[in-house]
Amino acid sequence: MDAEAGLIGQARTWRALGQTVPHQAQQILISWIFIVASATLLLDFISLQVLTAEIVAKESSQSYFAKLCNWFGVVSCLSWLLGFAILIHWLTRISATKGSLAGAWLKLIASVLFNLQPMTGVAGTAAGAGIWWSNLVGILFFHVGNLVSCADMWAYPAPGVDFQKKFFAHGNLAVIGMWFYQIATWFLVAANLLACNWNGASPPDSWLETGDPVVQTCQYLGGCFLVAGSFIYLAWSDGFRTCAAR
């Protein structure tokens, strides 16, 4: 009975902490959008690797999952674009620092660039691969945006941030989530640099083939860190328990 009461008390405490997030419902919405964006990006990578393996094996026809590659990319890229647009609105509402807004704007620009690849791929550019440079330039903008956001969080820590008490304390989660995003984009920058088909050459003129294990590892780790970071933000706003209406 005492243990149950303790768990209930702990749950209420976390709920109360979640309610301290400004415009909690909007932050929950942003977190879910980013979860969709990062999860479909990971599926996009897996589908791409399946497609690449089938091409190398000279399969007579592509599998259904491989054919969904550009669709996963469209859903992911549109979700990033929507999520960062709402995030900029949220940051403006809370009178965030110029660094926070600069980081978010850089990532919004990245999202626009991300959308060019699946858009041109669906249109049949480069046999469905899309234009060669947009993902690389986009991930560089995304990565610089994460670096700016992390630097701003270090220079202007939000109320409640204190890593000396408890690392995974509620007040630290927003910072931890952003560091997960930054780690993710380190891997994704590497993957894009290594597998980029420079100048859209035919045959491809990349440093490593798309199906190379190093490229695969960087893609999968980058996608997983983005998913994990998005779930950390959801936990910060108590989005697992509530869709708060305030």
Side-chain angles (χ1 to χ4, degrees), residues 39-75:
T40 49
L41 177 63
L42 184 58
L43 288 170
D44 185 27
F45 288 146
I46 298 170
S47 179
L48 175 62
Q49 291 300 334
V50 171
L51 175 62
T52 302
E54 290 176 354
I55 292 173
V56 171
K58 298 182 178 179
E59 297 285 347
S60 58
S61 62
Q62 296 173 1
S63 65
Y64 197 83
F65 183 71
K67 292 178 180 178
L68 290 174
C69 182
N70 273 325
W71 183 81
F72 287 133
V74 168
V75 175

Short mmCIF file of all heavy atoms in Angstrom, two decimals, residues 39-75:
data_model
loop_
_atom_site.label_atom_id
_atom_site.label_comp_id
_atom_site.label_asym_id
_atom_site.label_seq_id
_atom_site.Cartn_x
_atom_site.Cartn_y
_atom_site.Cartn_z
N ALA A 39 11.16 8.74 -37.05
CA ALA A 39 10.86 7.32 -37.28
C ALA A 39 10.75 7.02 -38.77
O ALA A 39 11.28 6.00 -39.25
CB ALA A 39 9.57 6.93 -36.56
N THR A 40 10.09 7.90 -39.52
CA THR A 40 9.97 7.67 -40.96
C THR A 40 11.30 7.90 -41.67
O THR A 40 11.58 7.28 -42.69
CB THR A 40 8.87 8.56 -41.58
OG1 THR A 40 9.05 9.92 -41.15
CG2 THR A 40 7.50 8.08 -41.20
N LEU A 41 12.15 8.77 -41.11
CA LEU A 41 13.51 8.92 -41.67
C LEU A 41 14.28 7.62 -41.51
O LEU A 41 14.98 7.18 -42.44
CB LEU A 41 14.25 10.06 -40.97
CG LEU A 41 15.70 10.27 -41.41
CD1 LEU A 41 15.77 10.65 -42.89
CD2 LEU A 41 16.39 11.33 -40.55
N LEU A 42 14.16 6.99 -40.34
CA LEU A 42 14.83 5.71 -40.12
C LEU A 42 14.31 4.65 -41.08
O LEU A 42 15.09 3.87 -41.66
CB LEU A 42 14.64 5.27 -38.66
CG LEU A 42 15.37 3.99 -38.22
CD1 LEU A 42 16.88 4.11 -38.44
CD2 LEU A 42 15.08 3.71 -36.75
N LEU A 43 12.99 4.62 -41.28
CA LEU A 43 12.40 3.69 -42.24
C LEU A 43 12.88 4.00 -43.67
O LEU A 43 13.09 3.09 -44.48
CB LEU A 43 10.88 3.75 -42.18
CG LEU A 43 10.23 3.13 -40.94
CD1 LEU A 43 8.75 3.47 -40.89
CD2 LEU A 43 10.43 1.62 -40.92
N ASP A 44 13.06 5.28 -43.96
CA ASP A 44 13.58 5.69 -45.26
C ASP A 44 14.98 5.12 -45.48
O ASP A 44 15.31 4.61 -46.56
CB ASP A 44 13.60 7.22 -45.33
CG ASP A 44 14.01 7.75 -46.69
OD1 ASP A 44 13.78 7.04 -47.70
OD2 ASP A 44 14.54 8.87 -46.76
N PHE A 45 15.82 5.20 -44.46
CA PHE A 45 17.18 4.65 -44.56
C PHE A 45 17.14 3.13 -44.77
O PHE A 45 17.88 2.59 -45.60
CB PHE A 45 17.98 4.96 -43.29
CG PHE A 45 18.37 6.40 -43.16
CD1 PHE A 45 18.43 7.01 -41.91
CD2 PHE A 45 18.67 7.17 -44.28
CE1 PHE A 45 18.81 8.34 -41.78
CE2 PHE A 45 19.05 8.51 -44.15
CZ PHE A 45 19.12 9.09 -42.89
N ILE A 46 16.30 2.46 -44.00
CA ILE A 46 16.21 1.00 -44.13
C ILE A 46 15.72 0.63 -45.52
O ILE A 46 16.26 -0.28 -46.18
CB ILE A 46 15.29 0.42 -43.04
CG1 ILE A 46 15.85 0.70 -41.65
CG2 ILE A 46 15.10 -1.09 -43.25
CD1 ILE A 46 14.88 0.36 -40.52
N SER A 47 14.69 1.33 -46.00
CA SER A 47 14.16 1.07 -47.33
C SER A 47 15.21 1.33 -48.40
O SER A 47 15.33 0.56 -49.37
CB SER A 47 12.93 1.96 -47.57
OG SER A 47 12.39 1.75 -48.86
N LEU A 48 15.98 2.40 -48.23
CA LEU A 48 17.04 2.72 -49.19
C LEU A 48 18.08 1.61 -49.25
O LEU A 48 18.54 1.22 -50.33
CB LEU A 48 17.71 4.04 -48.81
CG LEU A 48 18.93 4.45 -49.64
CD1 LEU A 48 18.56 4.65 -51.10
CD2 LEU A 48 19.57 5.71 -49.06
N GLN A 49 18.43 1.08 -48.08
CA GLN A 49 19.43 0.01 -48.05
C GLN A 49 18.89 -1.27 -48.67
O GLN A 49 19.63 -2.00 -49.35
CB GLN A 49 19.89 -0.23 -46.61
CG GLN A 49 20.71 0.90 -46.01
CD GLN A 49 21.99 1.20 -46.78
OE1 GLN A 49 22.54 0.32 -47.46
NE2 GLN A 49 22.47 2.42 -46.68
N VAL A 50 17.61 -1.55 -48.47
CA VAL A 50 16.99 -2.71 -49.12
C VAL A 50 17.00 -2.52 -50.63
O VAL A 50 17.34 -3.44 -51.39
CB VAL A 50 15.54 -2.91 -48.61
CG1 VAL A 50 14.82 -3.96 -49.45
CG2 VAL A 50 15.54 -3.31 -47.14
N LEU A 51 16.64 -1.32 -51.08
CA LEU A 51 16.64 -1.01 -52.51
C LEU A 51 18.04 -1.15 -53.10
O LEU A 51 18.21 -1.74 -54.18
CB LEU A 51 16.12 0.41 -52.73
CG LEU A 51 16.15 0.95 -54.17
CD1 LEU A 51 15.27 0.10 -55.07
CD2 LEU A 51 15.71 2.41 -54.20
N THR A 52 19.04 -0.64 -52.39
CA THR A 52 20.42 -0.73 -52.87
C THR A 52 20.87 -2.17 -52.98
O THR A 52 21.51 -2.57 -53.97
CB THR A 52 21.36 0.05 -51.91
OG1 THR A 52 20.94 1.41 -51.83
CG2 THR A 52 22.79 -0.02 -52.39
N ALA A 53 20.54 -2.98 -51.97
CA ALA A 53 20.92 -4.40 -52.00
C ALA A 53 20.27 -5.12 -53.17
O ALA A 53 20.90 -5.98 -53.81
CB ALA A 53 20.54 -5.05 -50.68
N GLU A 54 19.01 -4.77 -53.46
CA GLU A 54 18.31 -5.42 -54.58
C GLU A 54 18.92 -5.02 -55.93
O GLU A 54 19.01 -5.84 -56.85
CB GLU A 54 16.83 -5.05 -54.53
CG GLU A 54 16.09 -5.68 -53.36
CD GLU A 54 14.64 -5.24 -53.26
OE1 GLU A 54 14.23 -4.35 -54.03
OE2 GLU A 54 13.91 -5.78 -52.41
N ILE A 55 19.36 -3.76 -56.03
CA ILE A 55 20.01 -3.32 -57.27
C ILE A 55 21.33 -4.03 -57.47
O ILE A 55 21.66 -4.50 -58.57
CB ILE A 55 20.20 -1.79 -57.25
CG1 ILE A 55 18.85 -1.09 -57.32
CG2 ILE A 55 21.09 -1.35 -58.42
CD1 ILE A 55 18.93 0.42 -57.13
N VAL A 56 22.11 -4.14 -56.39
CA VAL A 56 23.40 -4.83 -56.46
C VAL A 56 23.21 -6.29 -56.82
O VAL A 56 23.97 -6.87 -57.61
CB VAL A 56 24.16 -4.70 -55.11
CG1 VAL A 56 25.39 -5.60 -55.11
CG2 VAL A 56 24.55 -3.24 -54.87
N ALA A 57 22.16 -6.91 -56.26
CA ALA A 57 21.88 -8.33 -56.54
C ALA A 57 21.21 -8.53 -57.90
O ALA A 57 20.94 -9.67 -58.29
CB ALA A 57 21.00 -8.91 -55.44
N LYS A 58 20.89 -7.41 -58.58
CA LYS A 58 20.24 -7.44 -59.90
C LYS A 58 18.93 -8.22 -59.86
O LYS A 58 18.65 -9.07 -60.71
CB LYS A 58 21.19 -8.04 -60.95
CG LYS A 58 22.46 -7.20 -61.15
CD LYS A 58 23.35 -7.80 -62.23
CE LYS A 58 24.58 -6.92 -62.43
NZ LYS A 58 25.51 -7.47 -63.46
N GLU A 59 18.14 -7.89 -58.81
CA GLU A 59 16.82 -8.51 -58.70
C GLU A 59 15.95 -8.08 -59.89
O GLU A 59 16.03 -6.94 -60.37
CB GLU A 59 16.15 -8.08 -57.40
CG GLU A 59 16.89 -8.53 -56.14
CD GLU A 59 16.70 -10.01 -55.85
OE1 GLU A 59 15.82 -10.62 -56.48
OE2 GLU A 59 17.44 -10.54 -55.00
N SER A 60 15.10 -8.97 -60.34
CA SER A 60 14.26 -8.68 -61.50
C SER A 60 13.21 -7.62 -61.20
O SER A 60 12.76 -6.88 -62.08
CB SER A 60 13.58 -9.96 -62.00
OG SER A 60 12.80 -10.54 -60.96
N SER A 61 12.80 -7.53 -59.93
CA SER A 61 11.82 -6.52 -59.54
C SER A 61 12.12 -6.06 -58.10
O SER A 61 12.71 -6.80 -57.32
CB SER A 61 10.40 -7.06 -59.62
OG SER A 61 10.22 -8.16 -58.74
N GLN A 62 11.71 -4.85 -57.80
CA GLN A 62 11.93 -4.30 -56.47
C GLN A 62 10.85 -4.75 -55.50
O GLN A 62 9.69 -4.91 -55.89
CB GLN A 62 11.95 -2.77 -56.53
CG GLN A 62 13.08 -2.20 -57.37
CD GLN A 62 12.95 -0.69 -57.52
OE1 GLN A 62 12.04 -0.07 -57.00
NE2 GLN A 62 13.88 -0.11 -58.27
N SER A 63 11.23 -4.94 -54.25
CA SER A 63 10.26 -5.31 -53.23
C SER A 63 9.35 -4.12 -52.92
O SER A 63 9.70 -2.96 -53.19
CB SER A 63 10.97 -5.76 -51.96
OG SER A 63 11.69 -4.69 -51.38
N TYR A 64 8.19 -4.42 -52.35
CA TYR A 64 7.22 -3.37 -52.03
C TYR A 64 7.82 -2.36 -51.05
O TYR A 64 7.64 -1.15 -51.19
CB TYR A 64 5.96 -4.00 -51.45
CG TYR A 64 4.76 -3.11 -51.45
CD1 TYR A 64 3.97 -2.98 -52.60
CD2 TYR A 64 4.40 -2.37 -50.33
CE1 TYR A 64 2.86 -2.14 -52.61
CE2 TYR A 64 3.30 -1.54 -50.33
CZ TYR A 64 2.53 -1.43 -51.48
OH TYR A 64 1.44 -0.60 -51.50
N PHE A 65 8.55 -2.87 -50.05
CA PHE A 65 9.15 -1.99 -49.04
C PHE A 65 10.18 -1.06 -49.68
O PHE A 65 10.25 0.12 -49.34
CB PHE A 65 9.80 -2.83 -47.95
CG PHE A 65 10.38 -2.03 -46.82
CD1 PHE A 65 9.56 -1.37 -45.92
CD2 PHE A 65 11.76 -1.92 -46.65
CE1 PHE A 65 10.09 -0.62 -44.88
CE2 PHE A 65 12.30 -1.18 -45.62
CZ PHE A 65 11.45 -0.52 -44.73
N ALA A 66 10.96 -1.57 -50.62
CA ALA A 66 11.95 -0.73 -51.28
C ALA A 66 11.29 0.38 -52.09
O ALA A 66 11.80 1.51 -52.17
CB ALA A 66 12.83 -1.59 -52.19
N LYS A 67 10.15 0.09 -52.69
CA LYS A 67 9.44 1.09 -53.49
C LYS A 67 8.87 2.22 -52.63
O LYS A 67 8.54 3.28 -53.14
CB LYS A 67 8.31 0.43 -54.28
CG LYS A 67 8.79 -0.51 -55.39
CD LYS A 67 7.61 -1.16 -56.09
CE LYS A 67 8.06 -2.09 -57.19
NZ LYS A 67 6.91 -2.76 -57.86
N LEU A 68 8.77 1.99 -51.33
CA LEU A 68 8.23 3.01 -50.42
C LEU A 68 9.29 4.02 -49.98
O LEU A 68 8.97 4.94 -49.21
CB LEU A 68 7.62 2.35 -49.18
CG LEU A 68 6.32 1.57 -49.39
CD1 LEU A 68 5.93 0.86 -48.09
CD2 LEU A 68 5.20 2.49 -49.85
N CYS A 69 10.51 3.88 -50.47
CA CYS A 69 11.61 4.72 -50.01
C CYS A 69 11.28 6.21 -50.13
O CYS A 69 11.39 6.95 -49.15
CB CYS A 69 12.87 4.38 -50.81
SG CYS A 69 14.33 5.31 -50.29
N ASN A 70 10.87 6.66 -51.31
CA ASN A 70 10.57 8.09 -51.48
C ASN A 70 9.35 8.52 -50.68
O ASN A 70 9.28 9.67 -50.21
CB ASN A 70 10.36 8.41 -52.97
CG ASN A 70 11.67 8.73 -53.68
OD1 ASN A 70 12.57 9.32 -53.10
ND2 ASN A 70 11.78 8.33 -54.93
N TRP A 71 8.39 7.60 -50.47
CA TRP A 71 7.21 7.96 -49.66
C TRP A 71 7.62 8.20 -48.21
O TRP A 71 7.18 9.18 -47.59
CB TRP A 71 6.16 6.85 -49.73
CG TRP A 71 4.91 7.21 -48.97
CD1 TRP A 71 3.88 8.00 -49.39
CD2 TRP A 71 4.59 6.83 -47.62
NE1 TRP A 71 2.92 8.11 -48.40
CE2 TRP A 71 3.33 7.41 -47.30
CE3 TRP A 71 5.23 6.04 -46.66
CZ2 TRP A 71 2.72 7.23 -46.07
CZ3 TRP A 71 4.62 5.87 -45.42
CH2 TRP A 71 3.38 6.46 -45.14
N PHE A 72 8.48 7.32 -47.67
CA PHE A 72 8.99 7.55 -46.31
C PHE A 72 9.70 8.90 -46.25
O PHE A 72 9.56 9.65 -45.28
CB PHE A 72 9.97 6.44 -45.91
CG PHE A 72 9.31 5.12 -45.61
CD1 PHE A 72 9.83 3.94 -46.14
CD2 PHE A 72 8.20 5.03 -44.80
CE1 PHE A 72 9.24 2.71 -45.87
CE2 PHE A 72 7.60 3.80 -44.51
CZ PHE A 72 8.12 2.64 -45.07
N GLY A 73 10.47 9.20 -47.29
CA GLY A 73 11.18 10.48 -47.32
C GLY A 73 10.24 11.67 -47.34
O GLY A 73 10.47 12.67 -46.66
N VAL A 74 9.16 11.58 -48.11
CA VAL A 74 8.19 12.67 -48.17
C VAL A 74 7.55 12.91 -46.81
O VAL A 74 7.47 14.05 -46.33
CB VAL A 74 7.10 12.36 -49.23
CG1 VAL A 74 5.93 13.33 -49.09
CG2 VAL A 74 7.67 12.42 -50.64
N VAL A 75 7.09 11.84 -46.16
CA VAL A 75 6.45 11.98 -44.84
C VAL A 75 7.43 12.57 -43.84
O VAL A 75 7.09 13.49 -43.07
CB VAL A 75 5.93 10.62 -44.34
CG1 VAL A 75 5.39 10.74 -42.92
CG2 VAL A 75 4.85 10.08 -45.27
#
